């Protein structure tokens, strides 16, 4: 994929398609594209005046220019109202334009920098958002589509081959090029996480995920260490091992290290990677069970974030810790009533084998605490209860350090990975008290997202920690402006935004 920056006259740029943008409440003017409109004899103005182009969020109008300007087509994308316009909407507009052009099999195009001269953001930040949105919108997962079905082939998006930013003002090229580079890296890290998340359970087993992480490490320059069952047994990781016992697939604990911060304490990122969650002996209903291939998306977010951390060469130490197992019922599976000993020494009564995520995270969090990190941030498709509480428009976030949570929520706000805090009061811990062990792995239906976090908290020892429940946000079943059906890559850009801010302070 080819990315470039052009400055100079928009009307003179030869390209298969030129993307320009307009606001909803200011359609009388065509702003920075006035020159293009003039060259087109007022054609855009006419469509705006007639109301055929409204500038509504997500609206994309593609017109053939028939030689009026150097571009073959012009795509006009709506930015919504100026008053509510922000970086998230700039990305969405870019994504909507990319989706529409690729559906029309236009694999190469250029775009103005959305919000340039309007938002108080620096040009490189706006360029970054435009590129990021474009590449996120261009994403598709069609590795498993053979060419057997013709309609499918027609409906499918073309692959983006080349994208450029255009800017009327000469002189800003350096900032735009920097934004282009960063936006490209951020989107690539997110799309990498999406690809892993979308891959089915028969392809991505825990061992295959560890292989992917090893390849990633070699490719971008990270240190990698992979623990198998023997190393886990040595470390007493009885919770992670128990979950894996029902499957013929061995578990893995993947550890990736980026060393960019000298002798400073690292940030630890932890991600749940259940490559398929059947529920185990406490088996799930068949309806939608196929979606449980996405139960690895927390781990995929951590791998994607580590890719971004390396590529951005952040001046920080960051460790990614990804416990991975498959949760199946079998003659060797762990059972309700079993009592496990985790690597921290705490004993856990299993009351539901479908509450497996918190078990593998218990050992991963203990491992992360051993690194004496500045903070631990974990991502997990942990509870259906979180989806009931918040729906699919934001993740749940809980933790033991309000400053950390505030910074993370902020980063989510800026990137569009929105998160909403739930309380983690000590009173919730009563629900996971066990009669037979130190703690039990389910607190029942009431406040399920919170009692799950309370369970995790029991394995975080004196470290600032935040937990994201991404059960509702890790994948989507209907297409949206921001991306196709399937894994969303939620968390990747939030983490990278947060860590970039940390690197600057
Ligand atoms: N992976 C699921 C959570 C989940 C459910 C994510 C639906 C996305 C959509 C998790 O392992 C699980 O099964 N949690 C149980 C916990 C319960 C047994 C305490 C749940 O949410 O029902
Ligand atoms: Mn489960
Ligand atoms: Zn699960």
């Amino acid at each position: 994929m080819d990315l470039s920056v052009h400055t100079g006259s928009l009307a003179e740029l030869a390209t298969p398609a030129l993307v320009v943008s307009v606001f909803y409440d200011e359609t009388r003017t065509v702003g920075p594209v006035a020159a293009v409109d003039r060259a087109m004899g007022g054609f855009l103005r006419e469509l705006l005046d007639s109301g055929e182009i409204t500038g509504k969020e997500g609206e994309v109008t593609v017109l053939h220019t028939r030689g009026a300007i150097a571009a073959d087509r012009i795509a006009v994308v709506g930015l919504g109202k100026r008053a509510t316009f922000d970086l998230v909407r700039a990305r969405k507009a870019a994504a909507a334009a990319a989706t529409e052009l690729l559906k029309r099999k236009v694999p190469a195009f250029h775009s103005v920098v959305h919000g340039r001269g309007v938002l108080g953001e620096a040009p490189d930040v706006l360029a970054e958002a435009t590129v990021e949105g474009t590449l996120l919108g261009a994403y598709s997962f069609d590795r498993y589509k053979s060419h057997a079905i013709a309609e499918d082939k027609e409906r499918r998006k073309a692959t983006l081959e080349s994208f450029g930013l255009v800017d009327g003002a000469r002189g800003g090229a350096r900032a735009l090029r920097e934004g282009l580079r960063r936006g490209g890296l951020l989107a690539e890290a997110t799309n990498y996480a999406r690809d892993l998340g979308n891959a089915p359970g028969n392809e991505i087993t825990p061992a295959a995920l560890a292989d992917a992480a090893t390849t990633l490490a070699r490719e971008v320059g990270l240190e990698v260490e992979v623990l198998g069952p023997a190393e886990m047994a040595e470390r007493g990781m009885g919770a992670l091992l128990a979950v894996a016992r029902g499957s013929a697939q061995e578990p893995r604990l993947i550890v990736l290290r980026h060393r960019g911060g000298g002798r400073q304490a690292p940030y630890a990122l932890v991600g749940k990677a259940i490559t398929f969650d059947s529920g185990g002996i406490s088996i799930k209903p068949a309806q939608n069970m196929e979606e449980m291939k996405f139960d690895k998306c927390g781990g995929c977010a951590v791998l994607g974030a580590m890719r971004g951390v390396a590529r951005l060469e952040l001046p920080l130490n960051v460790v990614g810790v990804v416990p991975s197992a498959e949760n199946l019922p079998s003659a060797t599976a762990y059972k309700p009533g079993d009592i496990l000993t985790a690597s921290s020494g705490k004993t856990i009564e299993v009351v539901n084998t479908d509450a497996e995520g918190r078990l593998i995270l218990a050992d991963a969090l203990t491992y992360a605490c051993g690194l004496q990190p500045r903070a631990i941030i974990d991502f997990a498709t942990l509870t259906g209860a979180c989806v009931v509480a918040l729906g699919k428009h934001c993740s749940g976030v809980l933790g033991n350090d309000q400053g950390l949570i505030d910074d993370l929520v902020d980063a989510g706000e800026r990137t569009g990975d929105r998160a909403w805090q739930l309380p983690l009061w000590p009173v919730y811990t009563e629900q996971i008290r066990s009669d037979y062990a130190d703690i039990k792995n389910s607190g029942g239906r009431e406040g399920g997202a919170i009692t799950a976090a309370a369970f995790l908290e029991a394995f975080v020892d004196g470290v600032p920690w935040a937990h994201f429940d991404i059960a509702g946000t890790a994948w989507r079943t209907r297409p949206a402006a921001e991306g196709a059906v399937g894994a969303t890559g939620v968390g990747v850009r939030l983490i990278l935004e947060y860590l970039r801010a940390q690197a600057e302070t």
Side-chain angles (χ1 to χ4, degrees), residues 260-286:
R263 304 173 62 82
Q264 286 170 19
Y267 289 87
L269 309 174
V270 176
K272 167 181 173 182
I274 292 292
T275 58
F276 182 71
D277 182 13
S278 71
I281 296 293
S282 314
I283 198 161
K284 289 179 180 294

Side-chain angles (χ1 to χ4, degrees), residues 438-496:
D438 295 337
I439 193 170
K440 62 182 179 182
N441 80 330
S442 168
R445 288 165 53 86
E446 294 173 8
I450 302 175
T451 53
F455 181 94
L456 298 181
E457 189 179 25
F459 296 89
V460 177
D461 198 8
V463 179
W465 156 77
H467 155 67
F468 284 84
D469 194 327
I470 57 170
T473 49
W475 72 95
R476 62 170 68 89
T477 50
R478 274 186 302 246
E482 306 89 309
V485 162
T488 57
V490 70
V492 174
R493 290 175 312 111
L494 183 154
I495 302 172
L496 292 172

Side-chain angles (χ1 to χ4, degrees), residues 272 274 277 279 282 284 291-292 295 327 352-358 381-387 392 441-445 448 451-452 469-472 475:
K272 167 181 173 182
I274 292 292
D277 182 13
S282 314
K284 289 179 180 294
E291 292 184 20
M292 284 298 117
D295 213 19
N327 188 22
N352 190 321
T353 63
D354 198 11
E356 84 299 336
R358 63 198 75 180
T381 47
L382 205 62
T383 67
C386 190
V387 193
K392 292 181 156 252
N441 80 330
S442 168
R445 288 165 53 86
T451 53
D469 194 327
I470 57 170
W475 72 95

Side-chain angles (χ1 to χ4, degrees), residues 220-224 255-262 264-267 269 305-320 499:
V220 302
L222 292 163
E223 288 172 31
V224 62
V255 183
L256 290 173
R257 279 195 179 76
H258 168 79
R259 289 187 206 271
Q264 286 170 19
Y267 289 87
L269 309 174
M306 291 306 294
R307 183 182 186 91
V309 164
R311 280 273 153 91
L312 289 166
E313 300 176 37
L314 291 186
L316 299 170
N317 292 326
V318 186
V319 186
L499 290 177

Side-chain angles (χ1 to χ4, degrees), residues 120-138:
E121 304 278 359
D124 61 318
V125 174
L126 293 168
E128 182 182 313
T130 302
V131 174
E132 209 179 304
T134 301
L135 300 187
L136 293 175

